[in-house]
Structures are given as structure tokens and as C-alpha cells.
Amino acid sequence: MSTLVAFHAHPDDESLAMGGTLARASKEGHRVVVVVATNGDHGETPANLAPGETTADFRKKEMEASCNVLGVHRLVWLGYDDSGMTGWEQNKAPNAFINSDTEVAAQQLANILKEEQADVFTTYDWHGNYGHPDHIKVHHVGHRAAQIANITNVYEMTMNRDHWKRLMQFAPEDEKFNPDDPADDGNPMGEPEANISHQVDVTEFCELKRQAIKCHGSQVTDTSFLGNLTAEMFELSFGQEWFIKVGESGPPRNAWLFD
């Protein structure tokens, strides 16, 4: 069997972005390693923090629970602070991920890739799917780490903009949005199908993905809408996950990262 290393920005990104792929890889007997760049301390503050407990502490416990659901074999934290959204005061924090030296962070990640002898590595697309500063940094650090570790099977996790346009016809009026509208960096969400190489079928793992998302219950904005979807709508929306294999382009083909 092979080893998949998935690089993510914050706790909850692993389940929202590619929980089905992680669960499928684990179920098929592959070793699954998740590396998280930041502690997520600028997410929503949990309502039930224990005395002395921080948001970062709480979210780490949620992340561990999610990884257990998905069958992740190893969880690694790079140790950076959440940078917050574009323009937030937290962008200036010295330990914010966006202020890290790309070469230093990439070497940290490359050491993990070498240690795990990664066969498949995932990072984010060029603008981190929706322009979050930490997600964009994941793209740059991930690609540099793959170069250092000489990893050739590199995939960029992305969102299929055209898929979301089609889904909007089924959405209630108060939940519709335009995928072509500018996201955090001024660019539309994800990528058009013409740029996406891999459509990964994870319908069999939708329930595990949903359970993993629910583990991040403190992040109500991220999780409440998804938790309220019917099983049919959840599968329609999230039963496929999307990747761009470096060196390939679209339209998407039904394929697996280990093919």
C-alpha cells in the first residue's frame, strides 16, 4: 500500500475539503497522514471552553476526533498561528503562518514527506480555493516542500466552480450564492472544470465525511449548513471531490489519486 500526505491550513479544512478522499484512502489500506499548518485560533470561539482552555486547545481536540472518524493514521501540527482573513489585525502577528519564511516552513513539511516516504501529496490550488491568506500560503509552502522532497505525484485540492453553479438551481433562495463572485482575494471560488484533472468519487464515504465535519462543531459558520442538508443533498453536493494533478488539466476524469 501507499502513503498519502495531505497538507491543510486549519483544523476542519481536512473534512470540509477532502474528508471523503482521506476516508477512502484509509479504508483501502493506504497510510494517511494529515499535516495542519495553523492552530485555528482565530476561528469561532467555542461556547463551552473549559477554564483556562483556549480556542486552539479546543480545536485541536476537535481535529483529533475528526481524524479518528476518517481513519487518519498520523496528525502533525506545524505550529503556526492562524493568520485570520485578509485585512484582519491578526495578519501582522509574528507567528502567523502568512509571515513565516516559506523556505523554513517548506523544509519542515519536506522532512515529514521524506520521513513518511509519501507516494501522493496534496496541497491547495493557486489561490487556496477562496483566497484565505493561510490557504494561499499552503499552496506556496506545499509546492516548495514537494520540490525539496522530490515528490512527483502532487495534487492541488480545489473546488469545482461549475459544479457549484449547477447546484445553485436546487438551493433555497436564501442560501443561493454566485460562485463567480469575488472571494477573499477578489477571485471567484475554486477553479472552472476546464482546469480540473481529477474527479474523485467519495459517495460511499459521505456519511464519514459528514461525521468528521460534525466533529468541528465549534465552527458553526462552517458546519451548521452542511449538517442540515439531507443525505441526498449532501451526497449531491459533496459526493465528488476535485483535484488538479500537477502537469495535467481538465476536463475532470473519474480517477483516483493512487491510479
Side-chain angles (χ1 to χ4, degrees), residues 46-59:
N48 53 337
L49 286 176
E53 186 177 35
T54 66
T55 297
D57 295 334
F58 196 95
R59 296 194 72 186

Side-chain angles (χ1 to χ4, degrees), residues 141-185:
V141 170
H143 277 276
R144 179 60 185 134
Q147 291 175 341
I148 295 170
N150 195 29
I151 305 296
T152 55
N153 288 323
V154 179
Y155 292 83
E156 296 179 347
M157 188 283 297
T158 191
M159 295 186 289
N160 184 336
R161 193 184 309 156
D162 296 307
H163 170 69
W164 281 99
K165 288 181 184 178
R166 292 189 290 268
L167 285 176
M168 285 304 99
Q169 64 182 303
F170 303 107
E173 285 301 319
D174 62 345
E175 293 178 357
K176 287 184 184 292
F177 67 92
N178 184 356
D180 286 325
D181 283 347
D184 198 48
D185 65 345

